[in-house]
């Protein structure tokens, strides 16, 4: 259940989600936060088992901070996505997989990046991506409206449109929309 | 710390080895000790990963074990983060690996290592000692008469040297330290292509 979308722009990245948490045919919560900030430059959108995702995010948050402190500069978005995907894959070995599909979105020195990560351990870099039961519907909107020169403001509108379209027809998604914009890093003037 | 001191003493008797870094490249130069004509000299410049190289001075067996440790750590980072490891993390890892030997009554690794490479923060040059101490800098010398060699490097170092000039400088420094014309093995990583290469 769920609809999440992520869009890469020239100005950063945008994440969107609905707010419904399903318990079978019952709506368990109408105000679920499915977009979690790891820090100011990285966020994860969650589709799947919320408990599994919460755990993965908690661990990867700590791991990412630790590496940053140790080596003196933060992980890139790709490095973070690889870290999270490895963690998600680690459950497979014990036959207790983490039932999640995550969109890892963030900005680094090279600009904005969107990665789709799941328990298979694979990460794919995308211009835009969607996950969850509403994703086929959201993809319809994304495919027809996304273009390369998109701005953050435009991406925000498209993300909202994609999630709301999914909410109209997917019973697993609904109860409102969350959107998060992460703008590109402001480059320091070379010293 | 008697054991660490004797390890440092063993390094002092090792082959003279130099590391030089400028904004354009980082270079490693290691003196190959003259051996008998029928015996091939041991390899002294090691590729750690595509973007990092290292050399050492001290017991060759100990150097090789430290090189292996560096290579392992570089590949581990690749598995975990799908990116080449930064040189600082390598130096830090080697530092803590060596430090581990100093807290037990075991024989410390009698080898100092110089690591040269490039990462997201640019060119890097590090020296790591048997005590676990690691230093970042632009010019290092370890091994036999390294203080004399380092004096020469310090005196004639310039940020706009070419690779050829740096090779000549390290040759000169090693020659001054040993009082003989040395056979030297060279490894370089350039900022331009980001690849560590052995020159000769």
């Amino acid at each position: 259940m769920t609809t999440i979308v992520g869009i890469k722009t020239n100005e950063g990245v945008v994440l969107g989600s609905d707010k419904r948490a399903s318990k079978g045919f019952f709506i368990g919560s109408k105000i679920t936060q499915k977009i979690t900030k790891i820090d100011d430059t990285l966020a994860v959108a969650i589709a799947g088992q919320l408990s599994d995702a919460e755990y993965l995010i908690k661990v990867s948050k700590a791991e990412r901070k630790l590496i940053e402190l140790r080596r003196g500069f933060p992980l890139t978005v790709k490095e973070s996505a690889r870290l999270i995907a490895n963690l998600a894959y680690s459950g497979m070995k014990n036959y207790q997989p983490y039932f999640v599909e995550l969109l890892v979105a963030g900005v680094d020195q090279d600009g904005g990046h969107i990665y789709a990560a799941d328990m298979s351990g694979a990460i794919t870099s995308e211009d835009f991506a969607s996950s969850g039961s509403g994703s086929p519907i959201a993809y319809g909107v994304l495919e027809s409206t996304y273009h390369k020169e998109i701005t953050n403001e435009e991406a925000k509108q498209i993300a909202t449109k994609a999630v709301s379209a999914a909410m109209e027809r997917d019973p697993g998604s609904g109860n409102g929309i969350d959107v998060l914009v992460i703008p590109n890093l402001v480059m320091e003037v070379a010293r | 710390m008697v054991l660490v001191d004797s390890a440092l003493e063993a390094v002092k008797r090792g082959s003279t080895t130099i590391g030089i870094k400028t904004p354009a490249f980082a270079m490693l130069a290691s003196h190959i000790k003259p051996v008998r004509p029928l015996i091939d000299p041991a390899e002294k410049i090691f590729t750690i990963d595509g973007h990092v190289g290292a050399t050492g001075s001290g017991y060759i067996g100990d150097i090789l074990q430290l090189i292996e440790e560096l290579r392992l750590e570089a590949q581990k980072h690749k598995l975990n983060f799908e990116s080449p490891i930064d040189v600082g993390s390598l130096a830090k890892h080697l530092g803590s690996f060596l430090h581990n030997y100093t807290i037990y009554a075991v024989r410390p690794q009698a080898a100092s290592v110089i690591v040269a490479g490039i990462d997201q923060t640019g060119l890097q040059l590090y020296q790591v000692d048997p005590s676990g101490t690691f230093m970042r800098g632009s010019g290092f010398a370890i091994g036999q008469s390294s203080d004399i060699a380092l004096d020469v490097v310090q005196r004639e170092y310039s940020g706009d040297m070419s690779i050829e000039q740096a090779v000549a400088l390290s040759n000169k420094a090693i020659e001054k330290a040993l009082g003989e014309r040395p056979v030297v093995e060279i490894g370089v990583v350039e900022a331009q292509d980001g690849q560590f290469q052995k020159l000769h």
Side-chain angles (χ1 to χ4, degrees), chain B residues 137-158:
Chain B
S138 298
F140 293 117
I142 53 177
Q144 200 178 332
S145 311
S146 56
D147 36 358
I148 298 173
L150 191 57
D151 274 347
V152 176
V153 174
Q154 265 166 10
R155 215 168 29 238
E156 296 184 25
Y157 174 88
S158 137

PDB file of all heavy atoms in Angstrom, chain B residues 137-158:
ATOM      1  N   GLY B 137      50.645  15.266   4.933  1.00  0.00           N
ATOM      2  CA  GLY B 137      51.597  16.312   4.584  1.00  0.00           C
ATOM      3  C   GLY B 137      51.977  16.290   3.126  1.00  0.00           C
ATOM      4  O   GLY B 137      51.364  15.593   2.318  1.00  0.00           O
ATOM      5  N   SER B 138      52.998  17.081   2.784  1.00  0.00           N
ATOM      6  CA  SER B 138      53.425  17.196   1.386  1.00  0.00           C
ATOM      7  C   SER B 138      54.795  16.586   1.149  1.00  0.00           C
ATOM      8  O   SER B 138      55.235  16.481   0.011  1.00  0.00           O
ATOM      9  CB  SER B 138      53.452  18.663   0.968  1.00  0.00           C
ATOM     10  OG  SER B 138      52.163  19.204   1.066  1.00  0.00           O
ATOM     11  N   GLY B 139      55.504  16.206   2.211  1.00  0.00           N
ATOM     12  CA  GLY B 139      56.810  15.593   2.025  1.00  0.00           C
ATOM     13  C   GLY B 139      57.179  14.733   3.214  1.00  0.00           C
ATOM     14  O   GLY B 139      57.163  15.203   4.349  1.00  0.00           O
ATOM     15  N   PHE B 140      57.480  13.465   2.947  1.00  0.00           N
ATOM     16  CA  PHE B 140      57.881  12.552   4.022  1.00  0.00           C
ATOM     17  C   PHE B 140      59.106  11.765   3.604  1.00  0.00           C
ATOM     18  O   PHE B 140      59.339  11.554   2.414  1.00  0.00           O
ATOM     19  CB  PHE B 140      56.763  11.553   4.338  1.00  0.00           C
ATOM     20  CG  PHE B 140      55.533  12.174   4.932  1.00  0.00           C
ATOM     21  CD1 PHE B 140      54.324  12.122   4.270  1.00  0.00           C
ATOM     22  CD2 PHE B 140      55.594  12.816   6.164  1.00  0.00           C
ATOM     23  CE1 PHE B 140      53.183  12.688   4.814  1.00  0.00           C
ATOM     24  CE2 PHE B 140      54.458  13.394   6.713  1.00  0.00           C
ATOM     25  CZ  PHE B 140      53.253  13.330   6.045  1.00  0.00           C
ATOM     26  N   ALA B 141      59.885  11.336   4.600  1.00  0.00           N
ATOM     27  CA  ALA B 141      60.969  10.402   4.341  1.00  0.00           C
ATOM     28  C   ALA B 141      61.046   9.430   5.506  1.00  0.00           C
ATOM     29  O   ALA B 141      60.932   9.846   6.667  1.00  0.00           O
ATOM     30  CB  ALA B 141      62.293  11.138   4.166  1.00  0.00           C
ATOM     31  N   ILE B 142      61.201   8.152   5.188  1.00  0.00           N
ATOM     32  CA  ILE B 142      61.355   7.134   6.226  1.00  0.00           C
ATOM     33  C   ILE B 142      62.502   6.216   5.840  1.00  0.00           C
ATOM     34  O   ILE B 142      62.962   6.218   4.701  1.00  0.00           O
ATOM     35  CB  ILE B 142      60.057   6.305   6.417  1.00  0.00           C
ATOM     36  CG1 ILE B 142      59.575   5.737   5.075  1.00  0.00           C
ATOM     37  CG2 ILE B 142      58.966   7.136   7.060  1.00  0.00           C
ATOM     38  CD1 ILE B 142      58.351   4.840   5.185  1.00  0.00           C
ATOM     39  N   GLY B 143      62.959   5.431   6.808  1.00  0.00           N
ATOM     40  CA  GLY B 143      64.030   4.483   6.521  1.00  0.00           C
ATOM     41  C   GLY B 143      65.397   5.036   6.877  1.00  0.00           C
ATOM     42  O   GLY B 143      65.520   6.023   7.598  1.00  0.00           O
ATOM     43  N   GLN B 144      66.410   4.377   6.309  1.00  0.00           N
ATOM     44  CA  GLN B 144      67.794   4.702   6.633  1.00  0.00           C
ATOM     45  C   GLN B 144      68.137   6.166   6.331  1.00  0.00           C
ATOM     46  O   GLN B 144      67.852   6.655   5.241  1.00  0.00           O
ATOM     47  CB  GLN B 144      68.717   3.783   5.826  1.00  0.00           C
ATOM     48  CG  GLN B 144      70.108   3.674   6.394  1.00  0.00           C
ATOM     49  CD  GLN B 144      70.945   2.721   5.568  1.00  0.00           C
ATOM     50  OE1 GLN B 144      70.431   1.802   4.934  1.00  0.00           O
ATOM     51  NE2 GLN B 144      72.237   2.940   5.579  1.00  0.00           N
ATOM     52  N   SER B 145      68.734   6.845   7.308  1.00  0.00           N
ATOM     53  CA  SER B 145      69.125   8.270   7.192  1.00  0.00           C
ATOM     54  C   SER B 145      67.987   9.134   6.655  1.00  0.00           C
ATOM     55  O   SER B 145      68.220  10.060   5.878  1.00  0.00           O
ATOM     56  CB  SER B 145      70.344   8.428   6.279  1.00  0.00           C
ATOM     57  OG  SER B 145      71.350   7.521   6.648  1.00  0.00           O
ATOM     58  N   SER B 146      66.786   8.826   7.100  1.00  0.00           N
ATOM     59  CA  SER B 146      65.622   9.542   6.561  1.00  0.00           C
ATOM     60  C   SER B 146      65.647  11.027   6.932  1.00  0.00           C
ATOM     61  O   SER B 146      65.127  11.860   6.194  1.00  0.00           O
ATOM     62  CB  SER B 146      64.334   8.899   7.062  1.00  0.00           C
ATOM     63  OG  SER B 146      64.312   8.859   8.472  1.00  0.00           O
ATOM     64  N   ASP B 147      66.271  11.357   8.076  1.00  0.00           N
ATOM     65  CA  ASP B 147      66.317  12.773   8.466  1.00  0.00           C
ATOM     66  C   ASP B 147      67.137  13.595   7.480  1.00  0.00           C
ATOM     67  O   ASP B 147      66.788  14.741   7.179  1.00  0.00           O
ATOM     68  CB  ASP B 147      66.814  12.958   9.907  1.00  0.00           C
ATOM     69  CG  ASP B 147      67.885  11.956  10.305  1.00  0.00           C
ATOM     70  OD1 ASP B 147      68.206  11.099   9.444  1.00  0.00           O
ATOM     71  OD2 ASP B 147      68.399  12.026  11.422  1.00  0.00           O
ATOM     72  N   ILE B 148      68.220  12.982   6.968  1.00  0.00           N
ATOM     73  CA  ILE B 148      69.034  13.682   5.957  1.00  0.00           C
ATOM     74  C   ILE B 148      68.223  13.843   4.666  1.00  0.00           C
ATOM     75  O   ILE B 148      68.159  14.921   4.069  1.00  0.00           O
ATOM     76  CB  ILE B 148      70.339  12.906   5.658  1.00  0.00           C
ATOM     77  CG1 ILE B 148      71.189  12.805   6.932  1.00  0.00           C
ATOM     78  CG2 ILE B 148      71.122  13.578   4.532  1.00  0.00           C
ATOM     79  CD1 ILE B 148      72.407  11.917   6.793  1.00  0.00           C
ATOM     80  N   ALA B 149      67.576  12.750   4.258  1.00  0.00           N
ATOM     81  CA  ALA B 149      66.762  12.779   3.031  1.00  0.00           C
ATOM     82  C   ALA B 149      65.647  13.816   3.143  1.00  0.00           C
ATOM     83  O   ALA B 149      65.387  14.581   2.212  1.00  0.00           O
ATOM     84  CB  ALA B 149      66.179  11.399   2.759  1.00  0.00           C
ATOM     85  N   LEU B 150      65.001  13.851   4.324  1.00  0.00           N
ATOM     86  CA  LEU B 150      63.892  14.786   4.519  1.00  0.00           C
ATOM     87  C   LEU B 150      64.383  16.231   4.468  1.00  0.00           C
ATOM     88  O   LEU B 150      63.689  17.113   3.954  1.00  0.00           O
ATOM     89  CB  LEU B 150      63.187  14.497   5.847  1.00  0.00           C
ATOM     90  CG  LEU B 150      61.853  15.214   6.072  1.00  0.00           C
ATOM     91  CD1 LEU B 150      60.878  14.899   4.955  1.00  0.00           C
ATOM     92  CD2 LEU B 150      61.256  14.832   7.412  1.00  0.00           C
ATOM     93  N   ASP B 151      65.601  16.465   4.999  1.00  0.00           N
ATOM     94  CA  ASP B 151      66.199  17.808   4.925  1.00  0.00           C
ATOM     95  C   ASP B 151      66.316  18.272   3.486  1.00  0.00           C
ATOM     96  O   ASP B 151      65.970  19.406   3.153  1.00  0.00           O
ATOM     97  CB  ASP B 151      67.595  17.806   5.577  1.00  0.00           C
ATOM     98  CG  ASP B 151      67.497  18.032   7.077  1.00  0.00           C
ATOM     99  OD1 ASP B 151      66.397  18.421   7.525  1.00  0.00           O
ATOM    100  OD2 ASP B 151      68.498  17.805   7.783  1.00  0.00           O
ATOM    101  N   VAL B 152      66.819  17.372   2.627  1.00  0.00           N
ATOM    102  CA  VAL B 152      66.990  17.701   1.210  1.00  0.00           C
ATOM    103  C   VAL B 152      65.635  18.011   0.574  1.00  0.00           C
ATOM    104  O   VAL B 152      65.469  19.012  -0.137  1.00  0.00           O
ATOM    105  CB  VAL B 152      67.689  16.548   0.451  1.00  0.00           C
ATOM    106  CG1 VAL B 152      67.779  16.861  -1.031  1.00  0.00           C
ATOM    107  CG2 VAL B 152      69.065  16.281   1.026  1.00  0.00           C
ATOM    108  N   VAL B 153      64.654  17.156   0.852  1.00  0.00           N
ATOM    109  CA  VAL B 153      63.318  17.350   0.277  1.00  0.00           C
ATOM    110  C   VAL B 153      62.734  18.687   0.751  1.00  0.00           C
ATOM    111  O   VAL B 153      62.206  19.473  -0.047  1.00  0.00           O
ATOM    112  CB  VAL B 153      62.374  16.183   0.662  1.00  0.00           C
ATOM    113  CG1 VAL B 153      60.954  16.467   0.196  1.00  0.00           C
ATOM    114  CG2 VAL B 153      62.874  14.888   0.053  1.00  0.00           C
ATOM    115  N   GLN B 154      62.841  18.941   2.051  1.00  0.00           N
ATOM    116  CA  GLN B 154      62.318  20.188   2.621  1.00  0.00           C
ATOM    117  C   GLN B 154      62.948  21.411   1.977  1.00  0.00           C
ATOM    118  O   GLN B 154      62.274  22.380   1.642  1.00  0.00           O
ATOM    119  CB  GLN B 154      62.596  20.235   4.122  1.00  0.00           C
ATOM    120  CG  GLN B 154      61.438  19.741   4.962  1.00  0.00           C
ATOM    121  CD  GLN B 154      61.852  19.481   6.393  1.00  0.00           C
ATOM    122  OE1 GLN B 154      62.944  19.828   6.821  1.00  0.00           O
ATOM    123  NE2 GLN B 154      60.958  18.861   7.135  1.00  0.00           N
ATOM    124  N   ARG B 155      64.266  21.351   1.780  1.00  0.00           N
ATOM    125  CA  ARG B 155      65.005  22.494   1.270  1.00  0.00           C
ATOM    126  C   ARG B 155      64.626  22.805  -0.174  1.00  0.00           C
ATOM    127  O   ARG B 155      64.502  23.961  -0.563  1.00  0.00           O
ATOM    128  CB  ARG B 155      66.509  22.215   1.376  1.00  0.00           C
ATOM    129  CG  ARG B 155      67.307  23.470   1.709  1.00  0.00           C
ATOM    130  CD  ARG B 155      68.755  23.188   2.099  1.00  0.00           C
ATOM    131  NE  ARG B 155      69.322  21.999   1.509  1.00  0.00           N
ATOM    132  CZ  ARG B 155      69.830  20.986   2.238  1.00  0.00           C
ATOM    133  NH1 ARG B 155      69.798  21.029   3.553  1.00  0.00           N
ATOM    134  NH2 ARG B 155      70.365  19.947   1.644  1.00  0.00           N
ATOM    135  N   GLU B 156      64.435  21.734  -0.971  1.00  0.00           N
ATOM    136  CA  GLU B 156      64.268  21.967  -2.408  1.00  0.00           C
ATOM    137  C   GLU B 156      62.841  21.732  -2.897  1.00  0.00           C
ATOM    138  O   GLU B 156      62.575  21.785  -4.087  1.00  0.00           O
ATOM    139  CB  GLU B 156      65.253  21.070  -3.183  1.00  0.00           C
ATOM    140  CG  GLU B 156      66.688  21.470  -2.854  1.00  0.00           C
ATOM    141  CD  GLU B 156      67.701  20.686  -3.670  1.00  0.00           C
ATOM    142  OE1 GLU B 156      67.347  20.216  -4.767  1.00  0.00           O
ATOM    143  OE2 GLU B 156      68.840  20.551  -3.193  1.00  0.00           O
ATOM    144  N   TYR B 157      61.940  21.501  -1.947  1.00  0.00           N
ATOM    145  CA  TYR B 157      60.539  21.279  -2.335  1.00  0.00           C
ATOM    146  C   TYR B 157      59.945  22.548  -2.919  1.00  0.00           C
ATOM    147  O   TYR B 157      60.200  23.644  -2.441  1.00  0.00           O
ATOM    148  CB  TYR B 157      59.714  20.852  -1.122  1.00  0.00           C
ATOM    149  CG  TYR B 157      58.231  20.740  -1.415  1.00  0.00           C
ATOM    150  CD1 TYR B 157      57.681  19.560  -1.890  1.00  0.00           C
ATOM    151  CD2 TYR B 157      57.373  21.829  -1.242  1.00  0.00           C
ATOM    152  CE1 TYR B 157      56.349  19.449  -2.185  1.00  0.00           C
ATOM    153  CE2 TYR B 157      56.022  21.741  -1.532  1.00  0.00           C
ATOM    154  CZ  TYR B 157      55.522  20.548  -2.000  1.00  0.00           C
ATOM    155  OH  TYR B 157      54.187  20.451  -2.292  1.00  0.00           O
ATOM    156  N   SER B 158      59.169  22.381  -3.984  1.00  0.00           N
ATOM    157  CA  SER B 158      58.427  23.512  -4.519  1.00  0.00           C
ATOM    158  C   SER B 158      57.086  22.997  -5.036  1.00  0.00           C
ATOM    159  O   SER B 158      57.004  21.899  -5.608  1.00  0.00           O
ATOM    160  CB  SER B 158      59.250  24.179  -5.628  1.00  0.00           C
ATOM    161  OG  SER B 158      58.419  24.503  -6.714  1.00  0.00           O
TER     162      SER B 158
END
